[in-house]
Amino acid sequence: MYGELVDVFLFHSGQEEDVEDRRLQSEYLAQLMRSSPRPSILLSYLVTKPNEGNYKTYVGEKSGMRDIDPSDWDRWCEYILYKGLRRTGYARVSRGTITDTEIQ
């Protein structure tokens, strides 16, 4: 990324109790990420399981973003997404019972 502008999105989605609020937030964020002409990274607390709920709004055609580790099925909220970059490495250092305590 040296010498290149990169958009970094930091986001905490709405409470899981309000499905419509979360849907609207995910649609808006997907539009923002998709519309950026620059490489982008999302560091987020999404309140969704992989491949369920609003996950496909954040990851895929609507947003243009890719999941840093789509094979990681054992997570609930912490996500790193990217577009326009080449992933050279990633590690989930710890796995906790509370996702806020995990290190990626």
Side-chain angles (χ1 to χ4, degrees), residues 9-11 24-34 42 44 46 58 63:
F9 298 92
L10 302 172
F11 179 71
L24 291 170
Q25 289 178 24
S26 67
E27 291 287 337
Y28 181 73
L29 186 61
Q31 177 189 7
L32 282 176
M33 293 185 297
R34 180 82 179 166
L42 170 73
S44 186
L46 295 180
Y58 296 113
S63 69

Side-chain angles (χ1 to χ4, degrees), residues 11-28 54 58:
F11 179 71
H12 186 299
S13 72
Q15 300 301 319
E16 64 183 281
E17 293 82 14
D18 192 336
V19 174
E20 181 63 5
D21 183 43
R22 281 192 4 245
R23 185 189 70 76
L24 291 170
Q25 289 178 24
S26 67
E27 291 287 337
Y28 181 73
N54 292 322
Y58 296 113

Side-chain angles (χ1 to χ4, degrees), residues 10-104:
L10 302 172
F11 179 71
H12 186 299
S13 72
Q15 300 301 319
E16 64 183 281
E17 293 82 14
D18 192 336
V19 174
E20 181 63 5
D21 183 43
R22 281 192 4 245
R23 185 189 70 76
L24 291 170
Q25 289 178 24
S26 67
E27 291 287 337
Y28 181 73
L29 186 61
Q31 177 189 7
L32 282 176
M33 293 185 297
R34 180 82 179 166
S35 67
S36 172
R38 292 179 288 279
S40 302
I41 299 170
L42 170 73
L43 304 173
S44 186
Y45 200 80
L46 295 180
V47 191
T48 189
K49 293 180 181 179
N51 295 306
E52 293 183 20
N54 292 322
Y55 176 86
K56 291 182 179 166
T57 304
Y58 296 113
V59 178
E61 295 285 325
K62 287 186 177 182
S63 69
M65 303 294 277
R66 300 175 66 184
D67 193 332
I68 195 77
D69 187 4
S71 68
D72 186 358
W73 58 269
D74 186 26
R75 59 185 160 157
W76 168 242
C77 297
E78 292 185 359
Y79 288 86
I80 300 171
L81 307 180
Y82 67 99
K83 77 170 187 181
L85 299 166
R86 186 170 43 110
R87 176 188 148 174
T88 58
Y90 167 79
R92 188 168 180 181
V93 177
S94 70
R95 193 172 304 276
T97 56
I98 300 173
T99 57
D100 293 2
T101 65
E102 295 179 353
I103 299 172
Q104 295 185 24

